């Protein structure tokens, strides 16, 4: 398993596991390994920042153990995400301007798109693009659609969107190329709140259809 762990400068390690990045990040945080300053999951890698270059070997060994434990869980079929807390529930009005296009791309009715979006628990694999923007993934991949050919110059805060197998809620008004299927009134990012982001890496999320 050590072949997927690479040095990233002298104060970080880059891990490229075959899957389960959010699980690995959560396990590393829970284990509280000495020498780990920060853990940053991305789509296909996990960047582990170290307190000091002297911590590299100790953290590398801990990562190797976690990767082997994860492989054992997969081989035994016991891998579970039940360690995550109760899902964050996000009420959504499914009135996005791209909802019909999404249904057409997936060969579904709009009602079936909404049913698929609300019937699964999504997990935040990583955050990025903008503060509070969480990339939420689902195990069944039913709602995988491409980004728009042309990005919009402004997408309002609270827009719920799909792209590339992920769903997300725009935490503030920004340009963007994801396909909009609805909106929520929840504030996804608030600097006066602790923590400011409602969705963080590892968060579980469930969408529900809001009352009209």
């Amino acid at each position: 398993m050590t072949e997927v762990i690479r040095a990233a400068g002298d104060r970080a390690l880059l891990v490229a596991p075959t899957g389960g990045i959010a699980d690995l990040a959560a396990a590393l945080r829970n284990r509280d390994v000495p020498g780990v300053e920060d853990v940053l999951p991305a789509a296909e890698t996990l960047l582990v920042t170290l307190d000091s270059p002297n911590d590299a070997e100790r953290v590398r060994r801990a990562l190797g153990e976690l990767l082997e434990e994860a492989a054992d869980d997969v081989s035994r079929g016991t891998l579970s995400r039940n360690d995550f807390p109760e899902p964050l529930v996000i009420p959504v009005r499914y009135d996005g301007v791209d909802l019909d296009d999404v249904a057409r791309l997936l060969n579904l009715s709009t009602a079936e798109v909404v049913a698929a979006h609300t019937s699964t628990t999504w997990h935040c694999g990583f955050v990025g693009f903008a503060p509070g923007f969480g990339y939420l993934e689902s195990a069944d991949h039913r709602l995988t659609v491409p980004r728009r050919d042309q990005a919009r110059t402004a997408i309002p805060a609270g827009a719920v969107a799909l792209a590339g197998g992920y769903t997300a809620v725009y935490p503030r008004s920004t340009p963007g190329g994801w396909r909009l299927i609805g909106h929520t009134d929840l504030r996804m990012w608030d600097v006066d709140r602790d923590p400011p982001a409602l969705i963080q890496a590892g968060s579980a999320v469930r969408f529900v259809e809001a009352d009209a």
Side-chain angles (χ1 to χ4, degrees), residues 100-182:
D100 289 342
D101 283 343
V102 168
R104 178 180 54 77
L105 288 167
L106 296 173
N107 198 26
L108 298 173
S109 68
T110 56
E112 288 171 329
V113 171
V114 173
H117 198 248
T118 55
S119 64
T120 188
T121 298
W122 298 80
H123 291 90
C124 181
F126 58 101
V127 296
F129 173 62
F133 191 101
Y135 288 74
L136 304 172
E137 50 194 355
S138 157
D140 62 26
H141 305 293
R142 277 180 294 173
L143 297 180
T144 299
V145 291
R147 293 166 55 94
R148 284 168 46 85
D149 292 337
Q150 284 192 316
R152 294 184 169 92
T153 56
I155 292 178
V160 179
L162 295 168
Y166 296 99
T167 191
V169 183
Y170 280 79
R172 61 182 182 185
S173 178
T174 63
W178 290 36
R179 297 180 187 270
L180 310 183
I181 61 171

Side-chain angles (χ1 to χ4, degrees), residues 25-37:
L28 186 58
R29 291 189 179 107
N30 290 337
R31 189 157 296 190
D32 196 22
V33 177
V36 173
E37 180 181 278

Side-chain angles (χ1 to χ4, degrees), residues 85-105:
E86 285 297 308
L88 169 70
V89 176
I90 298 180
V92 177
R93 287 188 172 82
Y94 286 93
D95 55 3
V97 294
D98 297 322
L99 182 58
D100 289 342
D101 283 343
V102 168
R104 178 180 54 77
L105 288 167

